[in-house]
Amino acid sequence: MPALEIRTAKATDVDAIAQVLGISFYQPPHPLLRLLTQWFHPLVRWGIAVDLGTRLQEGHVHHLCLVAVQTQASPQVIAVLEVSVRQQFWVAPMPYLYNLAVAPPWRGQGVGDRLMLAAEKVALSWGYPAIYLHVLESNRAALNLYRKRGYVYLRPDPQWQPFPWRQGRRLLLKKSLQ
C-alpha cells in the first residue's frame, strides 16, 4: 500500500483533480478514438476544474471533496472522491458518493478503498445511517470494490439512457453505515 494522506481538497488541488477525473472518465478506450479526441481533453479538464472549483468555493456544509495524496518524493494528488447530501432518488436527503477516480498507475493498491472509508466516516459524522452511489454495470473493478465495502444493489437508474458512449445501465447501490 502506498504512503498516502487522505484529506479535504484545497483550491490549489483543482487542476490535479481535474487531470485525474479527465483521465478516468473521459479517456476513450480505443486508441484511434483517443487520437481523434486528444485536442478535446484540455477543454474537458478546464470544464471539470471550473465545476469543481465552484463546488469548493460554495462551501456547502454537506459537501466534501476528498483527495488521496501520495506522500513519497514530491507529494501529488492521485485520487479523488466527493460526498454530498442529495435528495435525488430517495424520500429523504441522503449522502451520495460520486467522482471516485484513481490515477491509472495507482489503481488496485487500495487507494479507492481508503477514500471510501474516509467518506463513509464523514457521512456518519453528519448523522446519516446509509450512503448511496451509482456505478455503470460494465465497470467491474468499481463493482468489486463497492461489493467488498458492503454496498448492495438497489435498482437500475430509470433516468439513465444508454448512448453509444455510455456502457450499459447505471446501477444504484446502498450501504448501511450502522
Side-chain angles (χ1 to χ4, degrees):
M1 168 116 21
L4 294 178
E5 175 190 6
I6 305 295
R7 63 169 170 77
T8 302
K10 303 173 188 173
T12 56
D13 296 326
V14 168
D15 288 336
I17 293 168
Q19 176 73 19
V20 171
L21 289 169
I23 289 169
S24 297
F25 294 123
Y26 300 99
Q27 188 80 356
H30 192 277
L32 182 58
L33 285 175
R34 260 183 270 155
L35 183 64
L36 293 172
T37 60
Q38 68 185 0
W39 62 270
F40 188 63
H41 274 274
L43 183 59
V44 169
R45 285 192 307 273
W46 175 80
I48 292 168
V50 168
D51 185 45
L52 178 62
T54 300
R55 285 196 302 279
L56 292 178
Q57 284 180 343
E58 287 173 348
H60 190 279
V61 68
H62 287 132
H63 170 265
L64 193 61
C65 180
L66 297 170
V67 292
V69 178
Q70 70 84 16
T71 56
Q72 297 168 333
S74 61
Q76 72 181 58
V77 172
I78 61 168
V80 60
L81 174 62
E82 291 184 79
V83 58
S84 66
V85 173
R86 292 186 177 178
Q87 188 168 0
Q88 195 170 7
F89 299 98
W90 312 280
V91 175
M94 294 300 276
Y96 180 79
L97 296 179
Y98 57 104
N99 282 345
L100 173 59
V102 179
W106 300 94
R107 292 178 185 163
Q109 298 181 48
V111 177
D113 191 60
R114 289 186 53 191
L115 277 170
M116 291 186 74
L117 176 62
E120 291 163 4
K121 287 179 180 179
V122 167
L124 265 175
S125 76
W126 290 342
Y128 289 95
I131 195 163
Y132 296 81
L133 61 81
H134 279 107
V135 62
L136 287 178
E137 186 174 40
S138 61
N139 190 343
R140 293 287 164 212
L143 278 168
N144 289 338
L145 170 63
Y146 302 149
R147 287 186 181 127
K148 182 179 99 176
R149 294 225 35 89
Y151 287 78
V152 295
Y153 169 77
L154 290 180
R155 64 178 176 265
D157 181 348
Q159 297 175 342
W160 181 261
Q161 299 299 318
F163 291 104
W165 60 86
R166 292 189 180 160
Q167 300 171 359
R169 299 182 308 163
R170 189 167 83 156
L171 309 177
L172 179 64
L173 305 182
K174 173 186 178 182
K175 178 179 180 178
S176 174
L177 297 175
Q178 297 180 339

